[in-house]
């Protein structure tokens, strides 16, 4: 039965136009690593310091994957530590908070309603319960108001500021975030889960000169397995001027704090996707993701749709569907029936609730993997018009 369902899912994935910005189609080699006998190995602990024996291969593997992280993101092992063991982005974020400010620490982050993420301290997430969060958002124009972020930071005095989003279509100004963090003596964390692939080839600015901690999932624009990477400064100064070994604290929080044995098959698959990200055609791919998103947003706008902020700088866009007399849920369902897959999404200042919000979120990483270009984006936009305006 399970085999049959897997086959059905393979067929579904081939049949649809997938515009979910956080999904992608991995290569055969990534799938092979995920399905490899590395899944059989227990390797609790850090590389070369494990609680099990028989690690000569997995130690080399984890070391190589970490080396690839330095190479792909162009960072130095003298400055940054890398952890590739987190099972997911949620764990990576939680471990980063615990490892940097400790439970109960004060964190300023973007609200989910304005484009942040559940694990950026939403009430229903454990992160919202374990730490004292305050949230910033976007202005009525849909753009981050850095002056407002600075004011919130000044009032709240966070120990950590988180930047990064899941539904923000514009470039993040890491330099401004750093300046704000410095003004209140806070650490800066950039969650680049959505834009990691774009950062690798610099079609989005890199946070590395600015952030103390960088987290990312690996399944989105990076086109790898469902996993995560945490990159953190080896040493930062604490609020009393003391030296904190950030990487060590985060490593300890991942294991044994939150997890048991790392998923070595996933770590291998992360390595494969990083090897792929070093190839010249990945640069072309990432550039095309953005070119496609821009074209899709432009055409949708030309066709009369309301695109939040009027367009996009990255791989995604948000569309307000209420002017069509639809809710996000209705629009998403209608599109799904016609073979276009999106997700419903809150828009800034939404008066509706997350289960049936006012918007949908669309993105181009998956269709770009399928070699679609601007021409296809125009066709998709017109198809969306036909489906939503009938
Ligand atoms: N990462 C989120 C998304 O953007 O789809 C889900 O948690």
């Amino acid at each position: 039965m399970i085999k049959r369902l897997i086959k059905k899912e393979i067929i579904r994935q081939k049949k649809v136009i997938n515009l979910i910005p956080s999904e992608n189609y991995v290569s055969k080699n990534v799938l092979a690593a995920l399905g490899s006998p590395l899944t059989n190995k227990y390797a609790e602990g850090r590389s070369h310091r494990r609680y099990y024996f028989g690690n000569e291969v997995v130690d080399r593997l984890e070391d190589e994957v970490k080396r690839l992280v330095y190479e792909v993101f162009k960072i130095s092992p003298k400055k940054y530590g890398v952890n590739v063991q987190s099972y997911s982005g949620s764990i990576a974020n939680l471990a980063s908070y615990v490892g940097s400010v400790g439970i109960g620490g004060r964190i300023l982050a973007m609200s989910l309603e304005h484009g942040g993420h559940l694990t950026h301290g939403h009430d229903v997430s454990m992160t919202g319960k374990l730490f004292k969060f305050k949230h910033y958002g976007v202005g009525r124009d849909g753009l981050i108001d850095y002056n407002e972020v600075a004011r919130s930071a000044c009032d709240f005095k966070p120990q950590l500021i988180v930047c990064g989003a899941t539904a923000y279509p514009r470039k993040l100004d890491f330099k401004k975030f750093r300046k704000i963090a410095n003004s209140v003596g806070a650490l800066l964390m950039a969650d680049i889960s959505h834009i990691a692939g774009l950062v690798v080839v610099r079609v989005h600015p890199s946070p590395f000169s600015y952030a103390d901690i960088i987290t990312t999932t690996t399944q989105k624009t990076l086109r790898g397995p469902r996993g995560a990477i945490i990159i953190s400064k080896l040493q930062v100064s604490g609020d009393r001027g003391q030296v904190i070994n950030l990487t060590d604290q985060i490593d300890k929080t991942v294991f044994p704090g939150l997890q048991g044995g790392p998923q070595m098959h996933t770590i291998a698959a992360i390595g494969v996707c990083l090897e792929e990200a070093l190839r010249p055609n990945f640069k072309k791919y990432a550039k095309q993701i953005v070119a496609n998103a821009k074209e899709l947003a432009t055409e949708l706008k030309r066709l009369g749709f309301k695109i939040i902020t009027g367009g996009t700088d990255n791989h995604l866009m948000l569309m307000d569907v209420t002017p069509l007399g639809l809710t996000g849920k209705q629009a998403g369902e209608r599109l799904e029936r016609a073979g276009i897959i999106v997700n419903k999404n809150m828009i800034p200042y939404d008066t509706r609730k997350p289960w049936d919000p006012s918007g949908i979120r669309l993105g181009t990483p998956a269709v770009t993997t399928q070699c679609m270009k601007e021409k296809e984006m125009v066709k998709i936009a017109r198809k969306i018009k036909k489906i939503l305006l009938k």
Side-chain angles (χ1 to χ4, degrees):
M1 178 64 174
I2 299 296
K3 222 170 161 178
R4 264 218 321 265
L5 288 173
I6 293 173
K7 272 196 183 143
K8 271 189 184 300
E9 175 61 9
I10 293 169
I11 294 166
R12 186 199 68 82
Q13 288 187 14
K14 285 195 175 137
K15 225 171 47 191
V16 299
I17 294 171
N18 182 4
L19 296 179
I20 295 179
S22 47
E23 290 188 7
N24 212 329
Y25 298 122
V26 299
S27 69
K28 286 207 168 74
N29 289 337
V30 168
L31 282 181
L34 276 174
S36 72
L38 283 163
T39 192
N40 300 333
K41 185 71 195 102
Y42 246 114
E44 258 178 29
R46 299 184 196 180
S47 189
H48 306 280
R49 285 169 60 197
R50 314 268 191 194
Y51 290 83
Y52 295 70
F53 293 95
N55 297 304
E56 64 273 20
V57 178
V58 292
D59 279 351
R60 279 176 63 193
L61 178 89
E62 190 167 335
D63 292 349
E64 174 58 9
V65 176
K66 285 165 123 179
R67 192 198 64 73
L68 283 162
V69 172
Y70 291 110
E71 190 179 349
V72 165
F73 288 104
K74 300 179 190 75
I75 49 172
S76 165
K78 287 190 186 133
K79 191 168 175 194
Y80 289 103
V82 168
N83 186 302
V84 291
Q85 293 195 356
S86 309
Y87 299 152
S88 68
S90 305
I91 299 279
N93 285 351
L94 180 54
S96 298
Y97 304 151
V98 177
S100 59
V101 300
I103 291 175
R106 302 167 74 79
I107 309 176
L108 179 68
M110 192 169 189
S111 73
L112 177 72
E113 291 76 11
H114 283 211
H117 189 250
L118 272 173
T119 61
H120 295 177
H122 194 279
D123 288 352
V124 298
S125 157
M126 261 314 139
T127 58
K129 301 183 198 302
L130 294 175
F131 307 91
K132 292 184 197 82
F133 266 91
K134 179 175 166 96
H135 289 106
Y136 59 85
V138 294
R140 289 272 165 192
D141 56 2
L143 302 174
I144 293 172
D145 176 348
Y146 290 91
N147 292 328
E148 193 237 304
V149 181
R151 273 193 298 276
S152 294
C154 190
D155 289 349
F156 184 59
K157 305 273 179 299
Q159 295 160 281
L160 176 71
I161 296 180
V162 180
C163 57
T166 65
Y168 187 65
R170 296 298 179 179
K171 286 190 176 129
L172 294 166
D173 193 332
F174 297 117
K175 194 175 176 183
K176 280 193 182 151
F177 275 112
R178 176 78 261 172
K179 221 173 138 195
I180 296 168
N182 284 351
S183 73
V184 291
L187 294 169
L188 180 65
M189 170 173 146
D191 177 348
I192 60 165
S193 293
H194 266 259
I195 54 172
L198 311 185
V199 167
V200 167
V201 303
R202 301 292 190 265
V203 283
H204 187 288
S206 167
F208 283 99
S209 323
Y210 307 109
D212 303 293
I213 306 169
I214 297 95
T215 59
T216 182
T217 50
T218 46
Q219 70 267 24
K220 300 183 175 94
T221 47
L222 210 46
R223 207 163 50 179
R226 307 190 80 85
I229 300 170
I230 308 172
I231 300 163
S232 53
K233 280 195 184 150
L234 291 169
Q235 291 195 339
V236 293
S237 340
D239 43 13
R240 294 179 309 281
Q242 75 280 30
V243 174
I244 298 172
N245 187 330
L246 201 49
T247 303
D248 194 50
Q249 290 190 179
I250 291 173
D251 282 350
K252 278 189 194 137
T253 310
V254 173
F255 174 85
L258 292 165
Q259 295 187 174
Q263 302 193 346
M264 296 313 300
H265 56 303
T266 303
I267 292 175
I270 291 174
V272 174
C273 93
L274 294 173
E275 284 176 339
E276 290 172 359
L278 285 171
R279 299 204 188 117
N281 58 5
F282 189 81
K283 187 164 196 175
K284 267 173 111 179
Y285 165 66
K287 278 186 169 168
Q288 191 64 48
I289 293 178
V290 177
N292 282 351
K294 280 184 186 294
E295 186 70 16
L296 183 59
T298 304
E299 186 62 13
L300 286 168
K301 208 172 136 192
R302 202 185 63 76
L303 294 172
F305 290 107
K306 189 170 167 196
I307 304 294
I308 304 298
T309 78
T312 181
D313 295 331
N314 58 26
H315 62 302
L316 66 78
M317 66 213 70
L318 273 179
M319 186 199 282
D320 180 358
V321 292
T322 54
L324 312 169
L326 294 171
T327 67
K329 184 166 179 277
Q330 288 166 338
E333 284 168 354
R334 234 193 234 188
L335 289 166
E336 184 180 30
R337 282 196 294 275
I340 295 181
I341 311 297
V342 299
N343 69 279
K344 53 193 179 189
N345 216 97
M346 305 271 281
I347 56 169
Y349 302 95
D350 210 326
T351 49
R352 304 186 58 84
K353 296 272 173 268
W355 185 245
D356 192 5
S358 298
I360 54 173
R361 188 183 65 157
L362 310 96
T364 54
V367 288
T368 308
T369 292
Q370 294 172 315
C371 298
M372 292 195 205
K373 295 227 162 71
E374 286 88 337
K375 194 167 59 140
E376 283 82 13
M377 297 306 113
V378 172
K379 283 189 190 152
I380 290 173
R382 290 179 187 165
K383 198 166 166 184
I384 289 173
K385 182 178 176 191
K386 245 191 190 160
I387 299 162
L388 293 186
L389 293 190
K390 73 175 177 209

